[in-house]
Amino acid sequence: MRDLGAGLRYLGQGQRWVLTHGRWFGFGLLPALVTLVLYAAALTGLAFWADDIAAWATPFADDWGSPWQTVLRTVFAVLLWIAVLMLAVLSFAAVSLLVGELFYDKLSEKVEEDAGGLPEGVVELSLWRELWLGLTDSLYVLWRTLRWTVPLFLLGFVPVVGQTVIPVLGFCVTGFFLTLELASVAMQRRGIPVRERLAMLRTRRGLALGFGVPLALLFLVPLVAVFLMPGAVAGAALLVRDLTGTDGRGPDSRAPGQPQPQPQPHLQTQPYPQAHPYPQAQAGPPPSPAPGGSVPPHQR
């Protein structure tokens, strides 16, 4: 529960940051607005052709009588539109980040500077390299999301459960991967690969869900998604600082009672081998006394 509250708090802090930095907020609206126009056209087309797609996908129901054929194809069309909408919520952030790569990266840096400073060892990449990594990482996240979305889509046909539990699980999956997508800006700055980002968020699922699920619900409202996108990037930068223990002064400076981050493989260092406590014991056999009980000079 503490991590859930922390995730929600970072979401609010990110929105508050951009509202108090109007220039950053204004520029952040442009990439999201371009993405919104593209997505609105795609979802409108899907809604228009949903019945035809449902009929094409369920040929076995051509001979069914009324009302079962209509019920099946209506449920299929509704679930298909919901599944695509969930993917659109996630990919909206990914496409907006690609369109506004330069801006969102600078915005995230500014948030971290205000929060205590950039982490040590910042990875500097060319624009084309950043765009390529952003594209490949987004495709990986989308692939992992589909591995959850497709089974949940099929389970949506189960009576009662498909209309109650499955939508809740769908929002949790979308919120988790939405957090992963938004956190990639600050994670990439630290040179953390996408698979390791996923592993890190798994250790703090509550943090990811507390940040991503409310945002996913708000992203369902088209214009709201545009206005929330800059603050979502800012809040994700703060979340990454919590997740990695970088607050500009070290992990021990966080507030009392706030959970300490779990050590991650990329942050761990190998201990140096301990020296033998008695090195002289490894230098060879003790000097043998010379005749008369004295030690020869060359062995003293």
Side-chain angles (χ1 to χ4, degrees):
M1 291 301 294
R2 181 182 296 175
D3 270 351
L4 285 172
L8 184 60
R9 184 173 66 252
Y10 291 133
L11 178 59
Q13 289 176 352
Q15 301 301 326
R16 185 166 60 251
W17 190 92
V18 295
L19 289 176
T20 57
H21 296 74
R23 182 171 64 91
W24 295 97
F25 177 68
F27 283 116
L29 298 179
L30 297 178
L33 186 59
V34 172
T35 306
L36 173 65
V37 172
L38 297 175
Y39 274 63
L43 289 173
T44 301
L46 176 63
F48 183 78
W49 295 101
D51 292 340
D52 294 333
I53 296 174
W56 170 82
T58 57
F60 55 86
D62 288 342
D63 299 329
W64 290 14
S66 181
W68 302 114
Q69 182 190 84
T70 303
V71 170
L72 173 67
R73 288 179 173 173
T74 300
V75 170
F76 182 92
V78 171
L79 290 176
L80 175 64
W81 199 84
I82 292 176
V84 173
L85 183 61
M86 294 295 99
L87 290 176
V89 168
L90 173 65
S91 56
F92 177 86
V95 174
S96 297
L97 290 174
L98 288 174
V99 173
E101 172 71 30
L102 281 175
F103 170 80
Y104 289 129
D105 185 59
K106 294 300 181 183
L107 184 151
S108 179
E109 283 187 7
K110 179 62 177 176
V111 171
E112 292 213 57
E113 289 174 358
D114 288 355
L118 293 174
E120 296 181 1
V122 173
V123 178
E124 297 290 345
L125 299 173
S126 65
L127 174 60
W128 293 112
R129 179 62 175 168
E130 286 186 1
L131 289 173
W132 173 251
L133 286 177
L135 177 61
T136 55
D137 291 351
S138 295
L139 291 175
Y140 175 79
V141 174
L142 182 61
W143 161 246
R144 295 301 297 256
T145 308
L146 286 172
R147 291 175 59 180
W148 283 90
T149 304
V150 173
L152 290 175
F153 172 77
L154 297 176
L155 289 173
F157 291 96
V158 179
V160 182
V161 175
Q163 293 75 48
T164 54
V165 178
I166 299 304
V168 174
L169 291 177
F171 274 109
C172 290
V173 171
T174 303
F176 179 88
F177 285 104
L178 180 59
T179 302
L180 175 62
E181 191 68 60
L182 290 166
S184 295
V185 179
M187 292 282 199
Q188 184 173 298
R189 184 179 306 117
R190 291 162 168 79
I192 304 174
V194 63
R195 289 174 175 80
E196 192 170 340
R197 301 170 203 167
L198 179 60
M200 293 172 68
L201 282 176
R202 281 174 174 168
T203 66
R204 302 282 299 278
R205 284 187 177 90
L207 186 67
L209 294 176
F211 183 90
V213 172
L215 192 60
L217 290 170
L218 292 170
F219 269 21
L220 293 177
V221 184
L223 286 177
V224 171
V226 173
F227 286 99
L228 291 182
M229 188 62 194
V233 175
L238 298 174
L239 181 145
V240 169
R241 293 177 69 82
D242 182 345
L243 194 64
T244 60
T246 29
D247 60 1
R249 296 163 297 173
D252 294 335
S253 61
R254 61 186 64 242
Q258 192 173 350
Q260 298 290 337
Q262 297 295 325
Q264 301 299 329
H266 75 284
L267 298 175
Q268 293 176 353
T269 56
Q270 295 296 327
Y272 292 103
Q274 278 191 332
H276 195 281
Y278 303 105
Q280 68 274 17
Q282 297 179 339
S288 55
S294 61
V295 178
H298 71 277
Q299 292 187 359
R300 289 178 184 173

